[in-house]
Amino acid sequence: GATLSLQMHHHRAEHWIVVSGTAAVTCDENVFLLTENQSIYLPLGSVHRLANPGKILLELIEVQTGSYLGEDDIIRIDDEFGRA
């Protein structure tokens, strides 16, 4: 039932593959529901968020690609933990 921050990156793109559970993925203005064995590509500069809308544990694989993969490239736009 948790939600990650709404964020974007200047130097990397991400590819998320759902291993189990259901993922609600926001990418720019769109929200996609992904289930086991489905994936989504999040282009460099896209505003994105990951949420688990269900009760089943969400497990996914994240692949990052780009010129710089440091954690200081996370630009938080909205965050329920007060980090934005």
Side-chain angles (χ1 to χ4, degrees):
T3 301
L4 297 181
S5 59
L6 185 65
Q7 59 188 261
M8 58 93 54
H9 311 285
H10 290 293
H11 303 284
R12 73 173 178 237
E14 296 176 339
H15 187 182
W16 293 344
I17 305 105
V18 176
V19 176
S20 64
T22 300
V25 178
T26 300
C27 183
D28 294 323
E29 307 85 35
N30 302 304
V31 178
F32 304 91
L33 282 179
L34 304 178
T35 58
E36 185 176 312
N37 204 34
Q38 293 183 314
S39 64
I40 190 165
Y41 174 71
L42 303 164
L44 183 143
S46 66
V47 175
H48 58 279
R49 169 180 279 169
L50 175 67
N52 180 354
K55 296 184 185 288
I56 298 171
L57 181 67
L58 171 60
E59 295 180 294
L60 61 88
I61 297 169
E62 176 182 87
V63 178
Q64 301 174 352
T65 58
S67 60
Y68 178 72
L69 305 178
E71 288 301 301
D72 59 341
D73 184 39
I74 298 174
I75 310 302
R76 288 187 173 86
I77 298 157
D78 181 45
D79 182 70
E80 61 185 48
F81 303 104
R83 298 175 293 178

